[in-house]
Amino acid sequence: MSPMYFSFTSAFIPGLMGLAFNRSHLLSALLCLEGMMLTLFIATAIWSMTLNSTSSSIIPMILLTFSACEASAGLAILVAASRSHGSDKLQNLNLLQC
């Protein structure tokens, strides 16, 4: 495994583990998702630069667009949850009460 792939893997895995094991606040889950998406963006940008292909150069921009949409939707859910429930703790959120 090259050092570049190792660094991307070592940046992606903590975000995945934080998302899986740290489920106390919605904001921490959103930050873990954003870190994972930024790691994927950097990896696809470097991958498209090494391919030297014009057809694969649009993939990082599409991923960045989806990441921005995910972040805005997550922040909207965070604001709605904190206004209606008083906090962003995931234990207080119950879909059956809505």
Side-chain angles (χ1 to χ4, degrees), residues 22-59:
N22 190 11
R23 294 186 181 194
S24 60
H25 293 281
L26 182 61
L27 185 61
S28 64
L30 289 174
L31 285 173
C32 290
L33 278 174
E34 195 64 31
M36 290 167 52
M37 289 298 284
L38 287 176
T39 303
L40 287 176
F41 169 71
I42 292 171
T44 55
I46 290 177
W47 176 67
S48 67
M49 283 191 319
T50 57
L51 285 180
N52 291 329
S53 174
T54 58
S55 64
S56 66
S57 63
I58 193 71
I59 295 172

Side-chain angles (χ1 to χ4, degrees), residues 1-15 35-36 38-40 42-43 46:
M1 180 181 281
S2 70
M4 184 174 65
Y5 293 128
F6 178 73
S7 64
F8 289 136
T9 305
S10 64
F12 185 80
I13 295 296
M36 290 167 52
L38 287 176
T39 303
L40 287 176
I42 292 171
I46 290 177

Side-chain angles (χ1 to χ4, degrees), residues 52-90:
N52 291 329
S53 174
T54 58
S55 64
S56 66
S57 63
I58 193 71
I59 295 172
M61 289 300 139
I62 292 172
L63 186 68
L64 192 62
T65 304
F66 285 141
S67 175
C69 292
E70 173 258 331
S72 65
L75 286 176
I77 291 171
L78 177 70
V79 168
S82 65
R83 283 185 180 175
S84 65
H85 295 289
S87 71
D88 68 333
K89 287 196 172 212
L90 290 176

